[in-house]
Amino acid sequence: MAKEKVCILGSGNWGSAIARIAALNVKKHSDTFEEEITMYVHEEEVDGKPLSSIINEKHENIKYLSGVQLGSNVKAEPDPIKAIKGATALIIVIPHQFVEKILEGMKEHLSPGVRAVSLIKGVKAEGDKIHTYPGIISSLLGIRCSALGGANIATEVAQDQFCESTLGIPPEGMKSDDKNSLSDADLWFKLFDTPTFRIRIVPDVDGVALCGGLKNVIALAAGFSDGLGWGSNTKSAIIRIGIMEIKDFCVHFFPKVKAETFLEESCGLADILTSCISGRNRKVAENMVKTGKGFQELEKEELGGQSLQGPQTTEQLHKFLDARRDEVRRSNGFPLIENVWKICYEGMPPEKLIEGL
Amino acid sequence: MAKEKVCILGSGNWGSAIARIAALNVKKHSDTFEEEITMYVHEEEVDGKPLSSIINEKHENIKYLSGVQLGSNVKAEPDPIKAIKGATALIIVIPHQFVEKILEGMKEHLSPGVRAVSLIKGVKAEGDKIHTYPGIISSLLGIRCSALGGANIATEVAQDQFCESTLGIPPEGMKSDDKNSLSDADLWFKLFDTPTFRIRIVPDVDGVALCGGLKNVIALAAGFSDGLGWGSNTKSAIIRIGIMEIKDFCVHFFPKVKAETFLEESCGLADILTSCISGRNRKVAENMVKTGKGFQELEKEELGGQSLQGPQTTEQLHKFLDARRDEVRRSNGFPLIENVWKICYEGMPPEKLIEGL
């Protein structure tokens, strides 16, 4: 069996944390993987030097995950086409707004039999269609794409604190049809599972991608509740209603998605919980209520110009629901998603969050 | 149709909060209910006067829920047999350790057609048997008993903050077989549902009772995690594993119980969440780790001699699992429940909480 060659596309805080885990596991499973991992790094100058050179010298991403050794077998590469050369296993962890730009034109440079796993949060709505990133990657590159998600704050993962993660595999990747290669499930499990980073596998790639994509809508709602000084009963009710609504949305519009992924897995229940307790979408939403400022203004003040996922996702969902309004009218609708959108974009008073729930 | 007459057995903080809601609803549905509600009050002297007299004069339970008007149609009664006279709808909200003592000898004084709903938390293990309180009430009184549970902190409910509650009804009480009376589902829904105290009905009385009974084992685990300074990923993982383990325990030993009650309802997911974020079991567990003291000592120091439900429940579950050890060995076991027990009663270091999960 030829060895698998791993490439990580992306080098932010989560990309770096997962590079560290992959770098340990390729050494552990040296019969399965080539030892060297390449990591595509969007080049920038840090302290007057290119970030990729710093990573290759210090084995540390001093800008996005400082203080953490990535492993000397991680090689940073600023050219994405060079980075994927020879790779058979692509870990894609690029901010969602850059995915198409970076992957475009990559198809002809791919190795035969290459597979991908997406760690990207978010969904993309276009008119009356809605897409997950594993779906977008699959169709852009013409390859099979899995998804990884979970309650996985990068800095805690980098410190080997115990946590869980969910691996969503397309049904056809659960078992290998070729005796000479690993199934997708076996490949990604071997690459990611450690004693403190526990992987559970579900045959539901879209479900895993959607959980991470949609959770921040609930986190905004939880933040509004906190900002209003509402108590623990109310916040718990909002989280429960949010989980059920997101689950219903996904099961309705992606009929192959499994409800259990939302209700029972780390990428669902546990990640939503973390985001509603300590995520930054929650925090900004709380401050929207307390200060009366809009999220755009707070993004600038609190996130140094970085953008929040929650409002964007809410906007995507709203546009999609509008395009499918006739269909939505026939169901109970999605009042929590719609109320969060109205508070973010229409100036609805946050006190009305629970109206129609 | 004869009117229903409501009696509340119990007058603690939760009993008083629910009395207020019932008192509003019997007035609202005056065609269904008699206006006066009786409330059995365990008599004690407060400021030199009997508590029952104070409640009847001020319509306020100044000891357990001060500052909240119960409604002038709530009549306190210190004799439980007098309290149930003529009652057709019993709300039972007595601390679990007193249930059998108070209900004993009551059977012969019950009105025909009387029904009960249990708001009691906890389970009772006897050798290789385990019982829920609705089950115990049913067999002591020979009547049908439903259950109410949810993320319902009493003081927030008393302030009309938005929350949800789950009503578990025995399957035979979902519809009425007698055209002249309400089904259990209709009766309790009318008595409890308000615009801010939202009732959802499930045909799973044991499931609702078990969620409230077992949630505090998970809350202790969450508290140990907090005490150890473990991060948000780890705490979320422990809560997720806890919910699944409790659900598996109940589905295994109570085969009629529904997994959805644990995963989707306020009495499950939402109440567990609240307990793991802000409950007192969580708090004491955190302090056990930080101070090295046992829970008995901390109960004395922090709860004025009141006892915690979590360690007691853990002990009940452990005894039961020991009695059924052969059966448990054939499954994956219940490592979180067993580890919480070992930390509480065997001096196991809390760092070992995640062992074997």
Side-chain angles (χ1 to χ4, degrees):
Chain A
M1 202 187 290
K3 288 191 183 181
E4 300 278 350
K5 164 90 176 136
V6 178
C7 168
I8 298 167
L9 292 170
S11 56
N13 142 309
W14 186 217
S16 302
I18 209 72
R20 179 178 163 276
I21 286 181
L24 285 167
N25 273 340
V26 295
K27 285 188 167 182
K28 185 176 165 197
H29 303 291
S30 58
D31 50 337
T32 302
F33 297 101
E34 284 189 22
E35 183 164 322
E36 192 183 80
I37 289 180
T38 51
M39 179 163 80
Y40 160 63
V41 175
H42 177 71
E43 195 66 289
E44 56 186 305
E45 290 239 323
V46 181
D47 300 337
K49 286 183 76 175
L51 181 57
S52 62
S53 311
I54 298 171
I55 293 174
N56 285 333
E57 278 163 30
K58 300 194 174 202
H59 312 299
E60 182 185 336
N61 186 337
I62 60 166
K63 177 147 185 192
Y64 296 104
L65 194 68
S66 73
V68 174
Q69 282 293 302
L70 301 182
S72 57
N73 52 332
V74 177
K75 189 189 154 208
E77 167 56 61
D79 179 338
I81 300 296
K82 284 189 187 159
I84 62 163
K85 195 176 173 204
T88 56
L90 299 179
I91 303 171
I92 305 183
V93 53
I94 305 165
H96 70 94
Q97 60 272 33
F98 305 126
V99 171
E100 280 144 310
K101 191 172 155 236
I102 292 171
L103 298 190
E104 214 136 276
M106 199 175 262
K107 193 172 176 177
E108 60 197 276
H109 300 280
L110 293 173
S111 299
V114 63
R115 295 172 271 183
V117 61
S118 165
L119 279 61
I120 299 165
K121 310 281 185 198
V123 289
K124 186 180 173 186
E126 284 179 313
D128 65 351
K129 299 269 188 303
I130 188 163
H131 307 281
T132 64
Y133 280 90
I136 292 169
I137 291 166
S138 269
S139 69
L140 275 176
L141 300 186
I143 62 177
R144 212 150 59 208
C145 187
S146 298
L148 185 76
N152 300 144
I153 294 169
T155 48
E156 296 178 15
V157 171
Q159 291 160 7
D160 282 332
Q161 291 193 31
F162 175 81
C163 71
E164 299 182 309
S165 214
T166 315
L167 192 52
I169 305 282
E172 61 276 22
M174 289 298 286
K175 286 189 179 168
S176 179
D177 39 21
D178 173 1
K179 279 189 184 161
N180 291 318
S181 72
L182 290 172
S183 68
D184 296 358
D186 288 340
L187 171 70
W188 303 122
F189 185 86
K190 269 195 172 173
L191 191 55
F192 295 128
D193 186 68
T194 78
T196 52
F197 189 71
R198 301 270 186 88
I199 301 294
R200 283 166 56 95
I201 296 176
V202 295
D204 183 8
V205 55
D206 276 341
V208 173
L210 287 162
C211 285
L214 272 55
K215 65 172 185 178
N216 285 323
V217 181
I218 312 176
L220 289 173
F224 295 140
S225 180
D226 286 344
L228 290 160
W230 289 349
S232 177
N233 293 350
T234 307
K235 186 170 174 181
S236 296
I238 289 169
I239 295 173
R240 190 200 75 79
I241 291 168
I243 293 175
M244 299 301 283
E245 197 170 298
I246 294 292
K247 182 261 292 172
D248 288 345
F249 177 94
C250 294
V251 169
H252 183 86
F253 294 111
F254 295 79
K256 288 182 189 163
V257 153
K258 294 180 195 316
E260 306 91 83
T261 305
F262 295 78
L263 302 172
E264 301 186 9
E265 298 302 331
S266 179
C267 66
L269 170 63
D271 195 17
I272 292 167
L273 216 58
T274 301
S275 304
C276 289
I277 297 172
S278 56
R280 66 181 178 191
N281 286 276
R282 190 212 64 78
K283 186 72 193 159
V284 170
E286 180 182 5
N287 289 342
M288 282 174 68
V289 177
K290 287 185 171 167
T291 64
K293 296 177 184 174
F295 69 87
Q296 294 93 339
E297 194 177 346
L298 292 166
E299 273 176 351
K300 270 182 216 146
E301 288 178 20
E302 296 185 13
L303 306 177
Q306 262 194 301
S307 65
L308 282 180
Q309 294 282 0
Q312 282 187 33
T313 304
T314 305
E315 175 80 339
Q316 295 283 305
L317 297 183
H318 170 73
K319 281 185 182 167
F320 170 75
L321 287 171
D322 251 8
R324 304 275 279 250
R325 189 56 64 191
D326 285 346
E327 198 174 332
V328 172
R329 268 194 207 100
R330 289 195 295 274
S331 72
N332 290 329
F334 301 97
L336 189 75
I337 295 172
E338 305 265 28
N339 286 351
V340 170
W341 177 79
K342 285 179 197 159
I343 295 167
C344 286
Y345 291 95
E346 299 268 279
M348 184 167 94
E351 291 78 3
K352 294 196 169 182
L353 175 65
I354 53 174
E355 252 181 29
L357 299 189
Chain B
M1 202 187 292
K3 288 192 183 180
E4 300 279 350
K5 164 90 176 136
V6 178
C7 168
I8 298 165
L9 293 169
S11 56
N13 146 306
W14 185 218
S16 302
I18 209 71
R20 178 178 163 276
I21 286 181
L24 286 167
N25 273 340
V26 294
K27 284 187 166 179
K28 183 176 165 197
H29 303 291
S30 59
D31 49 338
T32 303
F33 297 101
E34 284 189 22
E35 182 164 323
E36 191 181 81
I37 289 180
T38 51
M39 179 163 78
Y40 159 64
V41 174
H42 177 72
E43 195 67 289
E44 56 187 304
E45 291 239 321
V46 180
D47 300 337
K49 286 183 75 174
L51 180 57
S52 62
S53 312
I54 298 170
I55 293 174
N56 285 332
E57 278 163 30
K58 301 194 173 199
H59 312 299
E60 183 186 335
N61 186 336
I62 60 166
K63 177 148 183 190
Y64 296 104
L65 194 67
S66 73
V68 174
Q69 282 293 302
L70 302 182
S72 58
N73 53 332
V74 176
K75 190 189 154 207
E77 168 55 61
D79 178 339
I81 300 295
K82 284 187 185 159
I84 62 163
K85 196 177 173 202
T88 56
L90 300 179
I91 302 171
I92 305 183
V93 53
I94 306 164
H96 71 95
Q97 59 272 32
F98 305 127
V99 171
E100 280 144 309
K101 192 173 155 231
I102 292 171
L103 298 191
E104 213 134 277
M106 198 174 262
K107 193 172 176 176
E108 60 197 276
H109 300 280
L110 293 173
S111 297
V114 63
R115 294 171 273 184
V117 62
S118 165
L119 279 61
I120 300 165
K121 310 281 186 199
V123 289
K124 186 181 173 184
E126 282 180 314
D128 64 351
K129 299 269 188 303
I130 188 162
H131 308 280
T132 66
Y133 280 91
I136 292 168
I137 291 166
S138 268
S139 70
L140 274 176
L141 300 184
I143 64 177
R144 212 150 58 207
C145 187
S146 299
L148 185 75
N152 302 144
I153 293 170
T155 48
E156 296 178 14
V157 170
Q159 291 160 7
D160 282 331
Q161 291 192 30
F162 175 81
C163 71
E164 300 182 308
S165 215
T166 315
L167 192 52
I169 304 282
E172 60 276 21
M174 289 297 288
K175 287 189 178 170
S176 180
D177 40 20
D178 174 1
K179 280 189 184 163
N180 291 317
S181 73
L182 290 172
S183 68
D184 296 359
D186 289 339
L187 170 70
W188 303 122
F189 184 86
K190 269 195 172 174
L191 191 55
F192 295 127
D193 186 68
T194 78
T196 52
F197 189 71
R198 301 271 186 86
I199 300 294
R200 283 165 56 95
I201 297 177
V202 295
D204 183 8
V205 55
D206 276 341
V208 174
L210 286 162
C211 284
L214 271 55
K215 64 171 185 178
N216 285 323
V217 181
I218 312 177
L220 290 174
F224 294 140
S225 180
D226 287 345
L228 290 160
W230 290 349
S232 177
N233 294 350
T234 306
K235 187 170 174 181
S236 295
I238 288 169
I239 294 173
R240 191 200 74 79
I241 291 167
I243 293 175
M244 299 301 283
E245 197 169 298
I246 294 294
K247 182 261 291 170
D248 289 343
F249 177 94
C250 294
V251 169
H252 183 86
F253 293 112
F254 295 81
K256 288 182 190 162
V257 153
K258 293 179 195 315
E260 306 91 82
T261 306
F262 295 78
L263 301 172
E264 301 186 10
E265 299 302 331
S266 180
C267 66
L269 170 64
D271 195 16
I272 292 167
L273 216 58
T274 302
S275 304
C276 288
I277 296 173
S278 57
R280 67 180 176 192
N281 285 276
R282 191 212 64 78
K283 186 73 193 156
V284 170
E286 180 181 5
N287 289 342
M288 280 174 68
V289 177
K290 286 186 170 165
T291 64
K293 295 177 183 174
F295 69 86
Q296 295 92 340
E297 195 177 345
L298 291 166
E299 273 176 353
K300 270 183 215 146
E301 287 178 21
E302 297 185 12
L303 307 176
Q306 261 194 300
S307 65
L308 283 180
Q309 292 281 359
Q312 281 187 35
T313 304
T314 305
E315 174 80 339
Q316 294 283 305
L317 297 184
H318 169 73
K319 280 185 182 167
F320 170 75
L321 288 171
D322 250 7
R324 303 275 279 251
R325 188 55 64 189
D326 286 344
E327 199 173 330
V328 171
R329 269 196 207 101
R330 288 194 297 272
S331 72
N332 290 329
F334 301 97
L336 190 75
I337 296 171
E338 304 266 27
N339 286 351
V340 170
W341 177 78
K342 284 179 197 159
I343 294 167
C344 286
Y345 291 96
E346 298 269 279
M348 184 168 95
E351 291 79 3
K352 294 196 170 183
L353 176 65
I354 53 175
E355 251 180 32
L357 299 188

